[in-house]
Amino acid sequence: MSDDAEIEKLLRFLYLCPVGLADHGADGQVRMMNALAVKMLMPLSSDGQMENFFTVLEKVAPDLATLVQGYAAPSGMIVQDRAINVRNRREPRHYSLSILRIEGDTYMAALSDVTQTVVNEEIARAALRSQAAQEGRVEILTGVLHDIGNGITGMGTRTAILGAAPPWDELDQLSKLGAFLRQHRPALEAALGPDKAAALLNFVETVVGRFQHRAAEWRETVGLFSKSILHVQEIINIQRQFVHGGSTTRRMLDPGELVEDALAIQRGSFHKRGIEVVTTLDPDLGSFDGDRTRLMQVFVNVLKNAAEAFDVNGSKTARRTLRIRIRRLPPGHLEFSFTDNASGFDAPGGFLTITRGQTTKQSGTGLGLSSCVQTVASHQGTFTLRSPGRGLGATCCIVLPIKMVAEAEASS
Amino acid sequence: MTMNIDHSSLLDDLENADAQALDAADFGIVRMQTDGTVIAYNAYESRLSGLSAASVMGRCFFTDVAPCTNNFMVAERFSEPGALDAELNYVFTYRLKPTKVRLRLLRRAEATEQYLVTLKPGSP
């Protein structure tokens, strides 16, 4: 290849170089510059002046002359990856500028067009900001739903306790007083006279009647109130599942208190069926990590199932009993077991595999147990239901970790 | 016939000029198709740029020959439809030396060819 051809090849290489290059002195005077550098810098030069590199860049990088002229080392990088923003006619362009001292009064400037990278970074930052804002809203919403859920659960507990309370003693006493007065009416008439005795009897019976009516209204109101609370709980639970893909705010819970609250809600059901509940708590259970509202729903469901198991034909046990036990299981777990002596069920190996639609009840939908299994699984626990056979009772066993591990930690 | 960069009939002259006439011009002439493909590159332009006509023929002028023109000031003007006759001051990097030039961009409406004409002030 001739010298001319070599030179042409070199020129062509530099003309088409995808990086803007300029050779200049300490005073900024340009000695050489390739085509891309001109293309990039033209929007900055109103009069097409490209003779002085510092002058061209003065508006966007006014300190270049100072940096270059203040650089004492004989060679080395003076400016590295400085962001230069240039607004051309249509859109801003973003360049990365580096200036290298090659030797003496010879400096090389390199300009790279990083517009697409900057745009991509801005898109990524905007996406992160949007995600952070969304997560913030979700966090607030989750917290609000959690607090409302806890409040509603507390209301439900108190309402259930009120509903399960025995009949009013005062009414019972007043009824007995009415019966006593009727029984001893002759003596009463002798003491008060027939008119006053009749008036007193009438008064007491009227009061008893009104109190009975009000008691019935009270029970009906409490029942409606319980249903409404349950409905609100279901709505909140759906919303909590929806928000944040089902993750919820967790806190440390007292296992005994949790079961006791669930029992309070179902106490009326056990009382009505004559079921004796025996609870045994191991000492030093401590607290555990969980979502109170969702676990309450699990325990209430388990207790409801246990109570209804006594309704099944063939469960005419002389003494109906539900035994609840909470104990620590090494390493770092709690076991909640609910053992009844009700109808039981037949299942391979004694264990019932719970899938959506699976039920132990004749009229059940199987959605309650499936939901329980899912909730317990979301707490990194296990839910099992076993029975030695039909008519031989059943045990529901829930094992939960005292402290859940983070998802990444769990997967590793 | 001597072509003049400032003459109003320059486009007529360019269209009628053969390769020899183009080389005789005392300014640079790049004849290209409307997609930028170079079909003539005269001696003046070749001398200043250091690129032979043979090496640039058939290449896209805006991307493969003079990428400094691939912007809104030059290439985008050519990409707009219709006739074009525009003048502007520009900087070319002839042999890597930033050089102020006058450019004249020419095209007839509906034409299949277009011209970029360059004059380095003070050059013979």
Side-chain angles (χ1 to χ4, degrees), chain B residues 51-72:
Chain B
L51 300 176
S52 65
S55 72
V56 301
M57 295 286 266
R59 295 181 185 276
C60 176
F61 181 75
F62 305 117
T63 58
D64 296 343
V65 179
C68 62
T69 59
N70 190 16
N71 59 14
F72 68 93

Side-chain angles (χ1 to χ4, degrees), chain A residues 24-31 52-55 58 61-74 76-79 82 99-101 104-108:
Chain A
H24 61 83
D27 57 0
Q29 282 300 113
V30 174
R31 301 187 192 104
N52 191 293
F53 193 70
F54 301 150
T55 306
E58 196 167 21
D63 58 336
L64 288 184
T66 307
L67 288 171
V68 168
Q69 287 156 14
Y71 189 76
M77 192 66 79
I78 305 169
V79 175
R82 166 80 72 87
I99 298 178
L100 174 73
R101 185 178 200 177
D105 192 39
T106 303
Y107 299 84
M108 179 193 281

Side-chain angles (χ1 to χ4, degrees), chain A residues 42-251:
Chain A
M42 274 300 277
L44 290 172
S45 176
S46 55
D47 59 353
Q49 190 281 131
M50 284 286 160
E51 290 162 8
N52 191 293
F53 193 70
F54 301 150
T55 306
V56 174
L57 287 163
E58 196 167 21
K59 285 182 182 170
V60 290
D63 58 336
L64 288 184
T66 307
L67 288 171
V68 168
Q69 287 156 14
Y71 189 76
S75 64
M77 192 66 79
I78 305 169
V79 175
Q80 187 160 20
D81 298 329
R82 166 80 72 87
I84 303 286
N85 301 317
V86 176
R87 176 161 288 281
N88 81 16
R89 194 180 59 166
R90 286 188 177 166
E91 59 186 9
R93 305 298 300 181
H94 304 280
Y95 302 142
S96 172
L97 169 69
S98 295
I99 298 178
L100 174 73
R101 185 178 200 177
I102 296 175
E103 60 177 1
D105 192 39
T106 303
Y107 299 84
M108 179 193 281
L111 281 159
S112 303
D113 191 331
V114 292
T115 303
Q116 195 55 51
T117 305
V118 170
V119 168
N120 290 345
E121 285 173 353
E122 182 52 41
I123 290 169
R125 275 196 295 273
L128 279 176
R129 283 196 297 273
S130 171
Q131 186 183 354
Q134 178 67 13
E135 283 177 354
R137 284 194 289 271
V138 167
E139 190 76 17
I140 292 167
L141 189 55
T142 304
V144 169
L145 285 172
H146 181 86
D147 291 342
I148 293 174
N150 281 350
I152 293 291
T153 301
M155 285 171 66
T157 305
R158 294 302 306 166
T159 307
I161 290 170
L162 286 173
W168 299 351
D169 278 349
E170 297 83 349
L171 181 58
D172 188 42
Q173 296 298 323
L174 206 56
S175 296
K176 285 177 180 170
L177 175 63
F180 177 80
L181 292 177
R182 271 195 306 280
Q183 189 182 353
H184 297 89
R185 185 165 184 161
L188 196 63
E189 287 177 347
L192 300 176
D195 293 344
K196 287 185 177 176
L200 180 60
L201 269 172
N202 185 46
F203 172 75
V204 171
E205 284 169 356
T206 301
V207 170
V208 167
R210 286 185 179 173
F211 268 118
Q212 282 173 338
H213 180 69
R214 289 181 64 182
E217 278 187 338
W218 167 257
R219 280 193 296 274
E220 187 183 352
T221 302
V222 168
L224 289 172
F225 202 38
S226 290
K227 282 183 182 173
S228 298
I229 288 172
L230 195 62
H231 183 58
V232 173
Q233 276 180 322
E234 285 170 353
I235 290 169
I236 288 173
N237 194 39
I238 289 166
Q239 296 301 321
R240 297 176 79 203
Q241 295 282 335
F242 187 68
V243 172
H244 232 172
S247 71
T248 49
T249 311
R250 305 193 306 252
R251 59 182 65 169

Side-chain angles (χ1 to χ4, degrees), chain A residues 321-391:
Chain A
T321 311
L322 172 66
R323 296 185 185 280
I324 302 172
R325 184 177 179 193
I326 310 174
R327 61 176 182 145
R328 286 187 82 116
L329 279 186
H333 285 75
L334 286 176
E335 182 193 67
F336 302 76
S337 61
F338 303 81
T339 304
D340 61 56
N341 59 352
S343 58
F345 53 84
D346 290 323
F351 284 86
L352 187 70
T353 305
I354 300 160
T355 54
R356 196 169 174 81
Q358 179 76 47
T359 181
T360 58
K361 295 181 286 189
Q362 286 175 344
S363 60
T365 62
L367 297 179
L369 279 180
S370 170
S371 168
C372 289
V373 171
Q374 284 177 13
T375 300
V376 171
S378 75
H379 282 73
Q380 297 166 12
T382 58
F383 184 106
T384 54
L385 198 54
R386 64 177 186 270
S387 170
R390 193 163 293 280

Side-chain angles (χ1 to χ4, degrees), chain B residues 26-74:
Chain B
D26 56 0
F27 49 85
I29 301 168
V30 182
R31 178 188 281 162
M32 51 188 136
Q33 293 172 348
T34 49
D35 64 356
T37 304
V38 177
I39 50 180
Y41 195 77
N42 79 339
Y44 178 100
E45 191 66 19
S46 181
R47 191 170 62 251
L48 287 182
S49 69
L51 300 176
S52 65
S55 72
V56 301
M57 295 286 266
R59 295 181 185 276
C60 176
F61 181 75
F62 305 117
T63 58
D64 296 343
V65 179
C68 62
T69 59
N70 190 16
N71 59 14
F72 68 93
M73 298 172 79
V74 183

